[in-house]
Amino acid sequence: MSLPLYLLAVAVFAMGTSEFMLAGLLPDIASDLGVTVGTAGALTSAFAVGMVVGAPLMAALSRAWPKRSSLLGFVLAFAAAHAVGAVTTSFPVLFATRVVAALANAGFLAVALTAAATLAPPGKKGRALAVLLSGTTVATIAGVPGGSVLGTLLGWRATFWAVAALCLPAALGILKAIPAGRDAAGATGGPGLRVELARLARPRLITVMLVGALVNAATFGSFTFLAPVVTDTAGLGELWISVALVLFGAGSFVGVTIAGRLSDQRPGLVVAVGGPPLLVGWPALAVLAHEPVALLVLVFVQGALSFALGSTLITRVLYEAAGAPTMAGSYATGALNVGAAIGPLLAATALGTVAGNLGPLWASGLLVAVALLIAFPLLTEARGRQEHRGVPVTRADSPSRDSG
């Protein structure tokens, strides 16, 4: 894989740190700004909504721009939003900065996903996306826990300043590594915006996007409210929040790495093997959350399974949207962030039930169950096509082929 791809992953690391860091900062933000933890959790949904709206909007606006200009502009806007967020004393202003940061993140990721696919050798999109998404998983291993520790020691505002500072080397990397001017596809012309948007009418693309949204909703729903499970339910100290986040991040890195080697040729295998344990894992985590060792082990496992399925579904969206070269990345980004918006909202609602802090874990199990029910006919269809074509059923690459 090329150097520009790894430098894009550095920017994704900064943005991933911001996207996930609120999981360890919500109690402090709520206390400082005089709102409830549930209300503070809306910051995660605000970010996700901005990502959902921003992915297609920013991709459409920037589709005629050189990739380097687009990526650089989005990174700098992201940094500025965090600087404003670090100094505000108003929750509505902080909420607004999260939306602006999300728009910038969405634009960056939509362009970066498309760029990663074009930088990859034929049939290696999954590997390329695994490299790009490793920025997110490293963020959960190092960036988010580091931000949590920094927030504990110096306050949550210091974490916002740190994210803004992380954007600067990423911007320099983009300047040095991404070629100026339009890429070959942009120079020779491609399908119009209307043609690319028409891909969204494809049932298989919509199905993969929906399944990805549901899996991501489960991930974000539980991850956002993991801190009170660690401190209140398991009875561990605040610094153990960082330990739990590191374990979740380590698991996500393992999951993305393994899935990256399988998602191009055997996506059905990843979903079929990883889906049922992911489904069982969320309620198991709820039942065993009072046991610290079991809690920490399951956090690692759920991180691995969640990101294995999530990264595989991103790859499938790009394959199904192959006829939309400038918008495919926005479809993947938007779909997964629909889940990131809905998940915390459902989880916040679940906090008010008799399950209390464990409510989000039960809600995540339900979301994965729905996702697998929707995915099952697609997997059955893929197996049927393979058997009809005489392809061994151990391979699950049919979903990647253009069916229209």
Side-chain angles (χ1 to χ4, degrees):
M1 295 299 169
S2 61
L3 177 62
L5 189 58
Y6 287 96
L7 292 173
L8 290 178
V10 173
V12 173
F13 166 75
M15 295 181 176
T17 297
S18 173
E19 188 170 6
F20 286 101
M21 70 183 181
L22 292 186
L25 302 177
L26 284 183
D28 288 341
I29 292 175
S31 176
D32 188 18
L33 300 183
V35 297
T36 66
V37 173
T39 299
L43 293 172
T44 298
S45 294
F47 196 95
V49 169
M51 291 282 285
V52 171
V53 174
L57 177 62
M58 296 296 103
L61 290 176
S62 64
R63 66 194 302 267
W65 302 348
K67 282 187 170 58
R68 185 169 75 172
S69 299
S70 300
L71 294 170
L72 183 62
F74 290 136
V75 166
L76 294 179
F78 188 83
H82 281 77
V84 174
V87 300
T88 186
T89 58
S90 167
F91 182 79
V93 171
L94 181 61
F95 187 93
T97 65
R98 295 303 287 171
V99 175
V100 172
L103 290 173
N105 190 356
F108 178 90
L109 193 56
V111 176
L113 283 170
T114 303
T118 59
L119 290 170
K124 298 293 185 181
K125 287 183 181 180
R127 293 286 295 275
L129 294 185
V131 171
L132 188 66
L133 292 177
S134 69
T136 298
T137 61
V138 173
T140 59
I141 296 171
V144 176
S148 180
V149 172
L150 186 63
T152 300
L153 298 177
L154 300 178
W156 64 270
R157 298 177 189 277
T159 304
F160 274 68
W161 280 118
V163 169
L166 276 173
C167 293
L168 301 181
L172 290 175
I174 290 170
L175 278 174
K176 291 184 175 294
I178 304 298
R182 303 178 189 276
D183 57 20
T188 59
L193 179 59
R194 183 174 297 181
V195 174
E196 294 199 47
L197 292 176
R199 301 293 291 185
L200 288 172
R202 290 166 49 85
R204 288 172 62 80
L205 175 58
I206 293 297
T207 300
V208 176
M209 291 171 66
L210 178 58
V211 175
L214 289 167
V215 170
N216 210 41
T219 303
F220 266 81
S222 289
F223 188 84
T224 299
F225 297 102
L226 184 60
V229 175
V230 173
T231 56
D232 298 341
T233 306
L236 298 172
E238 286 191 1
L239 288 178
W240 281 95
I241 296 174
S242 298
V243 174
L245 294 176
V246 168
L247 288 171
F248 186 91
S252 67
F253 182 80
V254 171
V256 164
T257 301
I258 294 175
R261 299 179 180 278
L262 297 173
S263 57
D264 286 303
Q265 301 299 326
R266 292 180 170 83
L269 179 65
V270 177
V271 176
V273 173
L278 180 63
L279 169 61
V280 174
W282 289 124
L285 187 54
V287 171
L288 299 174
H290 296 84
E291 300 293 336
V293 174
L295 169 68
L296 296 175
V297 170
L298 284 171
V299 162
F300 174 87
V301 172
Q302 292 303 95
L305 294 172
S306 295
F307 273 77
L309 266 66
S311 63
T312 298
L313 292 165
I314 289 178
T315 305
R316 298 340 297 168
V317 170
L318 293 179
Y319 274 114
E320 293 294 338
T326 67
M327 296 297 292
S330 72
Y331 300 159
T333 303
L336 294 180
N337 281 280
V338 165
I342 294 173
L345 291 177
L346 293 176
T349 301
L351 286 172
T353 67
V354 294
N357 291 336
L358 301 178
L361 302 176
W362 290 106
S364 291
L366 179 60
L367 288 166
V368 173
V370 175
L372 294 181
L373 286 174
I374 295 173
F376 181 76
L378 193 63
L379 295 175
T380 303
E381 176 190 351
R383 290 176 63 88
R385 288 184 179 186
Q386 290 166 345
E387 291 172 349
H388 176 72
R389 295 172 183 174
V391 179
V393 297
T394 54
R395 294 177 59 85
D397 53 346
S398 277
S400 71
R401 293 175 182 165
D402 193 346
S403 60

